[in-house]
Amino acid sequence: RRQRAGSRDLFFSSSTFNPSVMRCLTAFLTLSLGALDQFRTDKVTSSYDPAKTTGKWYEVLFVDPGQIGASCQEFTNEFNATDGTFQQHFSVHYGRIPFSQTYIFEQDPSGEKGVYTKYLTGAKALLQLPTVVVDVTESDGQYSLMTTYTKKVVVGKASVQELRFSSRTPSLDNATLQGMVDVARKVGLNEDIIAKLKPVNQTDCPSLAMVLV
């Protein structure tokens, strides 16, 4: 049977199957999901506990094209011990207009600590973002600092990258921030994305009640 270019029959038909193509696709998907696991500290690879990310957080430094023009970035994590996933309820303000959405962090099937696939609730089929926890700092039984990195390679287009430094408090001193940056460099994150880090404006953040009045 002749295969038609531009048709889904190029790889599959009712009577044929191209295993070479499937191997290539599988290798590509494995690479795109697994290549980020190198960007984790030994602390994360050995003892990361997602339950300790539960609760409220503030972004303090970020690189994320979806947050251009945003301020007052904060989120709340809810951990599901049954399947190892957690929901992240993320909110920002654009000017004085609030915006929020919820992400699911689904644990990678490999079982590697701190390796996830992130997607918007109800939109898993549209876009899945490979994400890793780069580093965490623990205080009083909970993580007080967390760095995450996301990278999605889109064939034929530029990759999508996010680098987020988060804290339990809206601001951090310069020494703490520099320490988080140093760790990002140490694990091998590209200097180009580190140089693009921007501080979050957490001052004069309007409450939701003030906006709705």
Side-chain angles (χ1 to χ4, degrees):
R1 177 179 173 180
R2 184 177 179 180
Q3 305 300 304
R4 294 174 294 165
S7 166
R8 64 184 300 176
D9 287 344
L10 184 62
F11 299 144
F12 304 96
S13 73
S14 59
S15 59
T16 63
F17 172 73
N18 191 328
S20 297
V21 170
M22 181 54 69
R23 283 195 296 270
C24 290
L25 289 173
T26 301
F28 173 78
L29 291 173
T30 300
L31 177 63
S32 64
L33 288 171
L36 300 189
D37 61 7
Q38 64 184 302
F39 301 121
R40 298 172 298 159
T41 60
D42 291 342
K43 187 192 313 180
V44 172
T45 61
S46 63
S47 60
Y48 168 73
D49 181 357
K52 295 179 180 180
T53 71
T54 300
K56 187 170 183 177
W57 292 83
Y58 299 88
E59 274 191 7
V60 289
L61 289 175
F62 73 99
V63 179
D64 182 353
Q67 295 188 43
I68 294 175
S71 64
C72 305
Q73 291 95 314
E74 61 181 55
F75 58 91
T76 301
N77 286 342
E78 295 182 10
F79 177 62
N80 185 334
T82 301
D83 59 12
T85 66
F86 64 86
Q87 292 188 21
Q88 186 172 100
H89 307 287
F90 181 74
S91 64
V92 302
H93 282 81
Y94 292 95
R96 293 185 67 82
I97 300 174
F99 176 79
S100 64
Q101 54 193 7
T102 297
Y103 290 95
I104 303 296
F105 283 69
E106 186 175 290
Q107 188 173 21
D108 190 76
S110 68
E112 288 286 335
K113 295 180 182 294
V115 181
Y116 294 97
T117 296
K118 179 175 74 170
Y119 53 88
L120 279 172
T121 301
K124 182 178 181 180
L126 297 178
L127 182 62
Q128 300 179 42
L129 299 171
T131 300
V132 293
V133 176
V134 174
D135 191 40
V136 289
T137 297
E138 186 172 345
S139 177
D140 297 326
Q142 291 284 314
Y143 293 138
S144 57
L145 302 174
M146 179 168 59
T147 301
T148 59
Y149 177 59
T150 297
K151 185 174 182 179
K152 175 73 172 182
V153 178
V154 182
V155 177
K157 299 181 181 179
S159 62
V160 176
Q161 295 187 84
E162 301 172 7
L163 180 58
R164 302 167 63 198
F165 290 7
S166 302
S167 169
R168 297 291 188 172
T169 58
S171 61
L172 294 172
D173 60 70
N174 288 336
T176 302
L177 289 172
Q178 185 60 55
M180 296 175 78
V181 171
D182 291 343
V183 169
R185 287 195 174 102
K186 187 176 181 179
V187 298
L189 286 177
N190 193 290
E191 191 66 34
D192 289 344
I193 192 170
I194 293 175
K196 293 177 182 177
L197 282 165
K198 295 181 179 180
V200 173
N201 179 7
Q202 293 284 6
T203 61
D204 300 323
C205 292
S207 69
L208 183 59
M210 291 173 59
V211 173
L212 293 179
V213 171

